[in-house]
Amino acid sequence: QSTGKTTPGVNTVKSAAADKSGKVNINTAGEKELDTLEGVGPATAKAIIQYRNSSGPFNTIEDIKKVKGIGDAKFNSMKDQITVE
């Protein structure tokens, strides 16, 4: 029996990968979400997903520096936008 009312919070989620803080979870984000990060383009987004698929989830946000093409400069520009939670 539907009352026609919407359940609070059901259709308000922006993205499964963005948590409450608006950060992108680098363990669950898809290519499009990763592409929104500072310094990350389509090729780097693919490299992040490829790394995750072959090496498992990132334990810390610093682990993203293990991905080819992400060094200290790129990490520093994106570190406030990413999470592993």
Side-chain angles (χ1 to χ4, degrees):
Q1 292 182 340
S2 174
T3 58
K5 292 181 181 174
T6 58
T7 307
V10 168
N11 293 319
T12 57
V13 178
K14 275 192 306 195
S15 155
D19 69 6
K20 290 184 191 98
S21 65
K23 293 185 178 184
V24 173
N25 186 328
I26 56 175
N27 284 324
T28 59
E31 201 174 317
K32 283 182 181 153
E33 284 115 352
L34 293 168
D35 199 7
T36 65
L37 295 170
E38 192 69 40
V40 175
T44 306
K46 282 188 176 87
I48 292 169
I49 293 169
Q50 199 171 6
Y51 178 90
R52 203 168 65 197
N53 290 341
S54 62
S55 302
F58 298 100
N59 294 314
T60 66
I61 61 170
E62 286 82 7
D63 281 350
I64 200 165
K65 290 194 282 186
K66 294 176 182 173
V67 176
K68 189 178 180 199
I70 300 180
D72 290 327
K74 273 191 186 177
F75 173 74
N76 287 333
S77 66
M78 74 170 76
K79 68 181 178 187
D80 295 330
Q81 302 173 303
I82 59 175
T83 183
V84 291
E85 299 285 314

